[in-house]
Amino acid sequence: MPDNQLTLAVAGARKTQGIVDACVAAPPQERILVLTYTTANQDELRRRIASQVGLRPAIEVMGWFTFLIRHFVKPALPFVYSGVRVTGFDFDSMPQQYTSNEAYERYFNSEAQVRRVHLAQLATRISDASQNAAVACLSRIYDTIYIDETQDLCGYDLEILLRLMKAPIALHMVGDVRQAVLLTNEREKKHKRYQYMKIWGWFREQQKKGQLHIEQRAETWRCRQEIASFADSLFDASWAFTPTTSVNTTCTDHDGLFLVHETDVPAYLEQFDPLLLRQSANSAKNMPYNFMNFRVSKGLSRPRVMIWPTSNICKFLQSSTRLEERAAAEFYVAVTRAEQSVAIVLNTPGESPIPYWRP
């Protein structure tokens, strides 16, 4: 059985590019499936693979939900519900309670569309009822499966991962639990203790069981060292993350971290034109600027970033008050979009050692 591998890589470590490079290096006959959650990342993977590998039918890029429907639900559904045909995908349904109809209505709406909120659970149930027929079939279709942004998986998705780990397929996963700001199903109760950053605990448990090898990749090509070290400081030592090392050696006349007084923001924007980030629409809602939310910025890279902090981020800067882990992950995403400089709007520095920028 091939080793199952997880590469935990910092922001700017070229995680997605690593998958593309592996596809470039693979023998032409190797059958490869590349999976990821978000549509944006699927599009990016397809674009890069097409430009660097060319037309190679043996390499497929697929979304996580499409993967579950195509390879678990559709071919083996009769093992649970005979005579039922999947007609589509219901992305928006709320969680359903069990009904007298053997839970059929939990998984499908009235138009026989499979519900996203229970898709992974249905796939797991079908896999067990069919004695893992879907996984056996996958091993005849693909030699290698790559999963990008693995930290986005949760709930019954982890049960699917366990089944893939036992399959005779090379499984390579990449991700960064520090950027765990999205979930495939935020309402899922299964494995709730492993949601968001806590999935790191689940991965380490699998490593202890001998089912997974974890490698930490701690070099960033994006962020200067000052930015990378500040981003590391958002998480305490109990996470056991390897400290980040920057290989960005570019120097400009404005590098590193800065505080900016609110009255100086217009001058800063005029001089540096940074990407403006905020936690949500509730932050800086009276400011006449075009912001992007922290979570939406995930995957972007810009020379300069300006952040409008939440009250909790202000406390972290002023008195080193620890951020709750989800808030820390979102702030980490925001900070690590920057290559050269990060400016944070803060009127009162408190104990912060970060210098002020003055026009």
Side-chain angles (χ1 to χ4, degrees), residues 8-10 176-180 197 232 235 241-242 244 329 332-333:
L8 179 73
V10 298
D176 183 4
V177 298
R178 285 156 290 204
Q179 297 186 68
M197 284 190 65
D232 284 348
F235 310 101
F241 294 141
T242 301
T244 304
Y332 178 90
V333 167

Side-chain angles (χ1 to χ4, degrees), residues 18 48 77 79 114 167 197 204 233 252 263 307 320 336 339:
R48 291 196 203 179
L77 185 58
F79 282 96
V114 63
M197 284 190 65
R204 288 194 284 185
S233 74
T252 73
T263 56
I307 297 171
S320 300
T336 56
E339 299 164 6

Side-chain angles (χ1 to χ4, degrees), residues 94-109:
M94 298 290 286
Q96 307 293 306
Q97 298 299 317
Y98 282 101
T99 70
S100 58
N101 190 19
E102 296 182 352
Y104 170 81
E105 293 177 12
R106 179 178 178 83
Y107 304 118
F108 295 91
N109 64 19

